[in-house]
Amino acid sequence: MLEYASPNTNKPLHLGHLRNIFLGWSVSEILKQRGDEVFKSSISNDRGIHICKSMVAWEQFANGQTPEQAGVKGDHLVGDYYVLFGAKHKEQMASLIEAGMSKEDADKNTPIMKAAQQMLVDWERGDTAVVGLWEKMNGWVYEGFSKTYNRIGADFDKNYYESQTYLLGKEFVQEGLSKGVFIRKKMAVCGLI
């Protein structure tokens, strides 16, 4: 089994992904020529705060814009909103710093970052509106990825998605905590304790 590509769904495939795809594909072809049975897979990091950043920016600034309306592939549109999130976050940080907040506190407390953190909480709770937006935007990204994969001749026997596997890991952590294998340390992560 070879796993490669492994993109996030908050931006288009970039040169690093292409390098990994070509290396993975090349290794798979070498192994096939050697007579090995090869199973090619990719895992998409399709959940988390980075995904919510694109979603919040789209929700706040896109006015419903679709890839078709923008005339771009879906992964590029979503990536544009991820970049816009970063720009708006910087602007909001500057205002908070100017008002006397430390850079570290400002980074965590901009309105746009708080909105992304809340969106992640809502997604994990299964909020239908948030999950619907997540499905729509990931759909755009997967369509864009598919166009790129087809263009370069990449294919996978199986695509895995973090959104379908992260709870399994969470269960292992909970089990480790209950057995005393792990310890719980209070710290702020994405504004959560």
Side-chain angles (χ1 to χ4, degrees):
M1 179 177 195
L2 290 172
E3 183 267 322
Y4 56 94
S6 306
N8 294 331
T9 58
N10 62 328
K11 55 190 167 199
L13 297 173
H14 55 66
L15 187 57
H17 292 115
L18 295 176
R19 179 200 63 217
N20 292 343
I21 291 167
F22 294 135
L23 287 171
W25 179 84
S26 297
V27 169
S28 73
E29 292 303 307
I30 290 167
L31 291 172
K32 284 180 191 177
Q33 288 300 312
R34 194 175 79 170
D36 293 331
E37 182 179 351
V38 176
F39 185 85
K40 299 180 288 183
S41 68
S42 178
I43 183 165
S44 292
N45 186 355
D46 66 342
R47 63 160 301 279
I49 192 69
H50 55 292
I51 306 304
C52 293
K53 289 176 180 181
S54 298
M55 292 167 57
V56 163
W58 184 86
E59 195 172 60
Q60 291 184 7
F61 306 108
N63 296 317
Q65 184 182 49
T66 66
E68 294 77 24
Q69 291 168 337
V72 298
K73 288 180 10 190
D75 54 334
H76 288 262
L77 180 75
V78 172
D80 290 345
Y81 284 100
Y82 182 74
V83 170
L84 181 60
F85 178 95
K88 295 296 183 181
H89 178 62
K90 272 187 173 178
E91 288 173 14
Q92 292 176 8
M93 274 184 65
S95 294
L96 292 175
I97 291 168
E98 188 176 310
M101 192 177 283
S102 72
K103 183 177 180 182
E104 184 178 301
D105 287 341
D107 182 46
K108 297 175 190 171
N109 289 294
T110 62
I112 199 164
M113 181 61 78
K114 286 185 173 231
Q117 292 166 348
Q118 185 59 53
M119 185 171 277
L120 178 58
V121 169
D122 293 343
W123 182 89
E124 288 184 349
R125 287 184 185 147
D127 180 280
T128 54
V130 171
V131 170
L133 175 60
W134 172 78
E135 289 172 341
K136 174 171 43 181
M137 291 181 73
N138 273 343
W140 293 340
V141 171
Y142 293 135
E143 186 177 319
F145 285 177
S146 181
K147 288 177 182 177
T148 300
Y149 292 148
N150 289 336
R151 177 188 256 171
I152 64 174
D155 64 325
F156 302 98
D157 298 306
K158 177 74 175 167
N159 288 297
Y160 295 95
Y161 304 93
E162 184 186 356
S163 61
Q164 296 171 349
T165 60
Y166 84 102
L167 288 176
L168 175 63
K170 196 172 184 179
E171 289 172 17
F172 285 121
V173 170
Q174 293 296 343
E175 182 181 341
L177 285 169
S178 68
K179 291 181 177 179
V181 174
F182 306 135
I183 61 167
R184 184 181 304 267
K185 180 179 176 183
K186 282 195 173 202
M187 59 189 294
V189 177
C190 297
L192 308 172
I193 301 271

